[in-house]
């Protein structure tokens, strides 16, 4: 080789090494699963979906629209806007406004007509009702088998689609056929396994593409609604969805929970962003295919997600019980723009475009958020709580702060005595005298022999109930203990693991441990509570009833909807009343009428619970006890953080006395300082 040729070869090699790698071609596969309830994932064997989750993340925290119906859910997924914009309220598709808010494939064809777009849809209305303007392939499949066959054909083509949307319908069909969308319904879970098998075949075909190494596939799995006994109700069961993102460019978060979880309306903008296309103004969603890991709690920052109501777009229909990102809804709550209604105030200096309102003035409603404080050294820590609060005449906005610790609160009633346990203390409550008996509290260890057998000793009990036969069951962490009330001692052989001895409690999120409360109604109706779930247990058959757990809501526990999670206590009185607690407050539930009494929640104080007023001392605060009505103004409150706090819960409560106007809140802030 000549010296000149060698120089050219060396130069060419150097240029090749210095040149950036060719960008991979972005492509999208969306796998829709009609009726796949979010919380059923993880209870059914789905190895192929699991593999996608391991290569990305899956969220079960999102909610579909309050109608919980297919037409609405699919329209939100495919258009990127909520039902008050796309106009689809039910499966008739009447009122649809796809002219202003077209499906994502129509948008792609308008922006980038050279893209190859395709949809294969088992539910025929999706093929016939959405515009799909300019879309290269729209296949009205009529069955899941035909969807899979068409998808495999398209993926087998050399060029293949740039975006392929699929709709598998059998989970929904099986749920309706068996009346239940639930892990205990075999037909429903078999249909989910069938979709998972299809996912496996799709991924095999996708990876077998001849140019796969040069393609950047974003895989999205989503669902239109959940279900319970059928679906179509504004309940957590019917509204719970799942959305998964997977692929080379997706962070590997697995099942890590995100407070600002992906929503149905985030799918369309995420598709556009992955393709490198502009996202049009006005969409309700945002690209979320590359979320950041949830930041660990720290000092000096606002610990609340979406405390300023700016994460999502303000809603246009006050009748729409939309989700509020970052917040757990209790019978209402909505984000709107300040300019939306004439009775809303002007924003204070520094505020954004949006604020929170109660929405439904027929009843009090709440937005709440729980913050994990574990891992922080809270010695001498202080909190700052602030918010902009105001209300139209007859309404009030409140902000409550509760700190939760590991001391727990457990209680039960037997005869004329209420028994209340918190930390290492035992309170004996004289029901007839309506006060704590003289000389109490006393140490649990001296008053309840045998409870010291629990790991960690006789303290920090989670839940307790008396079974109607003189036997009392105590729960702590992953153990339970049976106690003979007449003999005044724990039965031999206890404690035992809850798992394996209480069949069905393993279905709780997090498993058979860490209960919050227990309410005994009868031998066949024992209710056990954990987080936002509850299970009905039959003591005579010694197992949980089928189709549980269910969720705390206005539908399942009438009159309690403002408290959608984290109940404690359940102190039964012989009058048919049960008392449920949170730090600083309680509500009274009528077991005969099966609903909470009016006028609650109320404060735990010396008037309502003489002798128990210090039960949650230093753990419950209110931002502005005398404020929150009238003109919008900023309130601020500081105080000491309990050094043993594990979680903080902030609740915005909207109280109403008429149908005119509303209560409102903005810039809700909680931070910790040392």
């Amino acid at each position: 080789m000549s010296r000149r040729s060698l120089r050219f070869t060396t130069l060419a090699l150097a240029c090749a090494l210095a040149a950036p790698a060719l960008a991979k071609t972005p492509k999208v596969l969306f796998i829709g699963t009609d009726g796949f309830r979010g919380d059923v994932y993880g209870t059914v064997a789905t190895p192929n979906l699991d593999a996608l989750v391991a290569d990305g993340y899956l969220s079960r925290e999102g909610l579909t629209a309050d109608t919980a119906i297919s037409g609405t859910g699919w329209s939100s997924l495919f258009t990127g806007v909520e039902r008050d914009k796309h106009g689809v309220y039910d499966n008739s598709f009447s009122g649809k406004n796809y002219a202003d808010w077209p499906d994502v494939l129509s948008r792609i064809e308008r922006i980038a007509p050279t893209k190859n777009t395709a949809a294969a849809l088992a539910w025929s209305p999706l093929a016939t009702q959405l515009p799909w303007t300019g879309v290269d392939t729209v296949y009205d499949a009529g069955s899941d088998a035909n969807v899979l066959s068409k998808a495999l054909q398209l993926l087998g083509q050399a060029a293949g689609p740039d975006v392929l949307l699929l709709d598998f319908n059998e989970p929904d069909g099986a749920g309706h056929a068996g009346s239940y969308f639930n892990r205990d319904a075999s037909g429903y879970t078999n249909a989910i396994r069938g979709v998972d098998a299809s996912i496996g075949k799709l991924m095999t075909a996708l990876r077998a593409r001849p140019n796969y190494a040069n393609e950047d596939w974003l895989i999205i799995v989503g669902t239109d609604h959940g279900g319970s006994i059928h679906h179509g109700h504004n309940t957590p069961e019917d509204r719970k969805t799942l959305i998964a993102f997977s692929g080379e460019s997706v962070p590997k978060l697995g099942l890590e929970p995100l407070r600002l979880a992906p929503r149905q309306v985030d799918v369309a903008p995420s598709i556009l962003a992955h393709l490198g296309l502009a996202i049009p103004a006005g969409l309700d969603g945002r690209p979320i295919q590359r979320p950041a890991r949830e930041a660990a709690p720290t000092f000096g920052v606002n610990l609340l997600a979406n405390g300023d109501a700016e994460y999502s777009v303000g809603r246009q229909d006050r009748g729409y019980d939309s989700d509020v990102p970052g917040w757990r809804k209790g019978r209402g709550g909505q984000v709107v723009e300040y300019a939306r209604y004439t009775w809303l105030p002007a924003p204070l200096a520094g505020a954004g475009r949006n604020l929170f309102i109660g929405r439904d003035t027929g009843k009090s409603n709440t937005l709440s958020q729980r913050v994990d404080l574990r891992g922080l050294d809270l010695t001498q820590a202080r909190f700052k709580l602030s918010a902009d609060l105001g209300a139209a005449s007859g309404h009030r906005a409140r902000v409550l702060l509760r700190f939760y610790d590991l001391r727990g609160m457990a209680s039960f009633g037997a005869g004329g005595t209420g028994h209340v346990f918190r930390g290492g203390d035992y309170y004996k409550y004289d029901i007839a005298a309506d006060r704590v008996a003289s000389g109490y509290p006393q140490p649990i260890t001296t008053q309840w022999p045998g409870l010291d057998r629990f790991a960690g000793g006789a303290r920090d009990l989670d839940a307790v109930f008396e079974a109607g036969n003189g036997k009392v069951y105590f729960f702590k962490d992953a153990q339970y203990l049976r106690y003979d009330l007449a003999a005044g001692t724990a039965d031999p052989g206890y404690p035992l693991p809850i798992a394996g001895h209480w069949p069905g409690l393993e279905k709780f999120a997090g498993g058979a441990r860490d209960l919050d409360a227990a309410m005994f109604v009868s031998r066949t109706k024992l209710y056990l509570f954990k987080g936002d779930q509850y299970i009905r247990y039959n003591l005579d058959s010694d197992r949980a009833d089928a189709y549980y757990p269910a969720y705390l809501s206005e539908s399942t526990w009438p009159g309690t909807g403002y408290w959608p999670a984290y109940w404690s206590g359940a102190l039964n009185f012989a009058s048919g009343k049960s008392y449920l607690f949170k730090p600083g407050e309680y509500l009274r539930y009528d077991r005969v009428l099966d609903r909470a009494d009016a006028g609650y929640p109320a404060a735990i104080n010396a008037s309502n619970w003489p002798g128990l007023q210090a039960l949650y001392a230093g753990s419950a605060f209110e931002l502005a006890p005398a404020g929150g009505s009238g003109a919008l103004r900023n309130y601020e409150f500081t105080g000491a953080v309990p050094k043993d706090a594990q979680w903080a819960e902030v609740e915005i409560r909207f109280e109403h006395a008429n149908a005119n106007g509303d209560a409102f809140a903005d810039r809700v802030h909680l931070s910790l300082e040392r």
Side-chain angles (χ1 to χ4, degrees):
M1 179 183 293
S2 69
R3 185 178 299 175
R4 182 178 180 185
S5 297
L6 180 60
R7 283 200 302 268
F8 274 118
T9 302
T10 304
L11 179 61
L13 179 60
C15 290
L17 291 174
L22 292 176
K24 293 185 176 183
T25 303
K27 291 178 178 286
V28 177
L29 171 62
F30 173 83
I31 304 170
T33 56
D34 198 317
F36 191 163
R37 188 169 128 180
D39 60 351
V40 173
Y41 175 74
T43 70
V44 181
T46 54
N48 297 297
L49 180 53
D50 295 347
L52 290 179
V53 174
D55 197 32
Y57 76 102
L58 181 144
S59 168
R60 295 171 285 194
E61 285 80 39
L63 298 177
T64 190
D66 52 3
T67 51
I69 205 79
S70 290
T72 310
W74 289 122
S75 294
S76 295
L77 282 160
F78 291 155
T79 65
V81 297
E82 302 273 8
R83 74 163 171 83
D84 56 348
K85 287 184 178 177
H86 62 60
V88 179
Y89 283 61
D90 54 37
N91 289 345
S92 72
F93 287 80
S94 60
K96 62 185 180 183
N97 184 18
Y98 296 139
D100 290 335
W101 308 106
D103 62 88
V104 66
L105 296 190
S106 296
R107 286 193 183 276
I108 292 169
E109 290 292 348
R110 183 187 305 169
I111 302 169
T114 60
K115 295 287 186 185
N116 187 301
T117 57
L121 310 160
W123 190 46
S124 290
L126 292 182
T128 59
Q129 293 289 342
L130 277 82
W132 307 120
T133 305
V135 175
D136 297 287
T137 302
V138 178
Y139 179 52
D140 187 352
S143 72
D144 284 13
N146 289 342
V147 169
L148 178 61
S149 177
K150 186 66 172 181
L152 295 177
Q153 174 197 337
L154 292 169
L155 290 173
Q157 296 172 357
D162 293 296
V163 184
L164 174 58
L165 306 185
L166 306 177
D167 156 49
F168 290 97
N169 194 52
E170 287 186 4
D172 183 76
H176 286 300
S179 299
Y180 278 96
F181 291 66
N182 191 280
R183 62 186 288 173
D184 291 337
S186 59
Y188 178 67
T189 55
N190 285 338
I192 289 173
R193 292 187 187 95
V195 171
D196 186 71
S198 295
I199 291 175
K201 294 174 183 177
L202 290 167
M203 295 309 299
T204 297
L206 188 147
R207 295 183 181 114
R209 289 175 53 77
N211 202 34
Y212 176 72
N214 297 315
E215 296 172 340
D216 178 12
W217 282 91
L218 173 65
I219 315 298
I220 307 174
V221 180
T223 187
D224 56 340
H225 57 73
S228 49
I229 302 176
H230 302 294
H231 61 87
H233 313 98
N234 186 10
T235 63
E237 291 85 351
D238 286 14
R239 297 185 67 178
K240 280 187 174 293
T241 61
L242 66 79
I243 296 178
F245 291 90
S246 185
E248 184 178 320
S249 61
V250 179
K252 314 311 178 198
L253 302 183
L255 292 173
E256 189 172 315
L258 300 173
R259 285 186 293 171
L260 295 175
R263 302 168 295 152
Q264 290 178 327
V265 293
D266 295 330
V267 167
S270 296
I271 291 173
L272 294 172
H274 184 71
L275 297 176
L277 302 178
I279 298 171
L283 294 191
D284 292 332
R286 58 173 62 196
I288 198 169
Q289 78 278 16
R290 298 181 185 177
R293 175 165 271 109
E294 187 88 12
T298 188
F299 293 92
V301 301
N302 190 0
L303 296 172
L304 300 177
N306 193 27
D308 59 2
E310 297 300 317
Y311 183 83
S312 58
V313 175
R315 303 277 33 100
Q316 300 178 3
D317 177 5
R318 194 175 178 188
Y320 178 23
D321 191 13
S322 59
D323 71 332
V324 178
W327 296 87
R328 187 188 300 274
K329 295 171 66 73
R331 295 202 307 199
Q334 191 182 63
V335 172
V336 298
E337 293 185 6
Y338 275 93
R340 185 67 194 166
Y341 302 111
T342 57
W343 43 263
L344 283 171
L348 298 181
R353 174 179 293 188
N354 300 331
L355 77 166
F356 303 107
I357 65 171
R359 189 193 68 82
D360 185 353
T361 57
K363 48 188 175 287
S364 294
N365 32 61
T366 63
L367 295 171
S368 60
Q369 189 169 151
R370 204 180 204 206
V371 179
D372 191 345
L373 303 179
R374 291 172 295 180
L376 291 178
D377 180 2
L378 299 177
T379 305
Q380 297 184 332
R382 296 186 64 80
F383 68 83
K384 182 176 81 171
L385 180 67
S386 64
D388 299 344
L389 302 176
S393 178
H395 306 277
R396 184 184 176 200
R398 303 171 64 187
V399 174
L400 299 103
L401 170 63
R402 308 181 183 101
F403 289 103
Y404 293 80
D405 52 47
L406 296 179
R407 287 179 285 162
M409 191 280 189
S411 61
F412 74 96
T417 303
H419 305 275
V420 180
F421 307 84
R422 173 140 167 81
D425 294 330
Y426 162 61
Y427 299 79
K428 186 175 184 179
Y429 200 87
D430 187 321
I431 295 175
D434 195 20
R435 64 174 303 106
V436 171
S438 178
Y440 287 85
Q442 292 285 332
I444 297 174
T445 51
T446 62
Q447 301 295 306
W448 293 84
L451 293 193
D452 53 353
R453 300 180 200 165
F454 272 127
R459 59 174 300 110
D460 306 337
L461 303 175
D462 293 330
V464 59
F465 73 92
E466 194 272 327
N469 59 1
K471 298 293 186 179
V472 179
Y473 292 83
F474 290 89
F475 298 84
K476 179 183 177 182
D477 299 335
Q479 296 180 308
Y480 80 101
L481 182 150
R482 192 177 70 194
Y483 198 94
D484 190 303
L485 201 57
T489 186
D491 285 344
Y494 291 88
L496 291 169
I498 300 172
H501 291 89
W502 291 81
L505 296 199
E506 72 281 355
K507 297 178 184 177
F508 271 131
R513 57 174 300 127
D514 305 324
L515 303 183
D516 289 335
M519 180 192 291
F520 178 85
V521 176
S522 69
R523 293 282 304 176
T524 59
K525 289 184 179 180
L526 166 68
Y527 293 94
L528 299 162
F529 303 88
K530 180 180 179 180
D532 59 354
Q533 297 179 311
Y534 73 97
I535 285 176
R536 190 176 70 196
Y537 199 91
N538 188 319
L539 290 170
D540 289 339
S541 63
D542 194 22
R543 66 181 50 256
D545 288 344
Y547 307 116
Y548 285 87
Y551 288 85
L552 301 177
S553 70
E554 188 69 14
S555 175
T556 53
W557 292 87
T560 71
Y562 39 76
W563 276 5
Y566 309 116
W567 295 1
S568 295
L571 175 58
N572 281 5
F573 282 8
S575 61
K577 305 292 187 180
S578 292
Y579 296 85
L580 297 157
F581 298 84
K582 277 179 175 280
E585 290 188 309
Y586 73 101
L587 64 83
R588 190 174 71 193
Y589 199 87
D590 191 309
R591 300 193 302 275
V592 177
L593 298 178
D594 192 22
R595 65 171 300 107
D597 289 340
Y600 294 87
I604 301 172
N605 56 34
S607 298
N608 294 326
W609 291 96
L612 292 181
Q613 63 269 23
L615 202 63
Y616 289 106
S619 297
F621 305 90
E622 182 165 359
L623 175 59
S629 59
L632 185 69
R633 56 170 290 195
N634 181 260
Y635 297 87
E636 183 176 311
F637 180 75
T638 62
V641 179
K643 64 180 181 181
D644 59 348
Q646 303 289 299
W647 301 273
E649 182 181 51
V650 172
E651 176 189 303
I652 311 171
R653 185 177 298 171
F654 304 98
E655 298 177 342
H656 311 291
N658 59 61
N660 300 315
D662 207 327
F664 30 85
D666 194 6
R667 295 193 299 176
V668 186
H669 176 103
L670 172 67
S671 60
L672 305 183
E673 307 289 345
R674 282 192 294 189

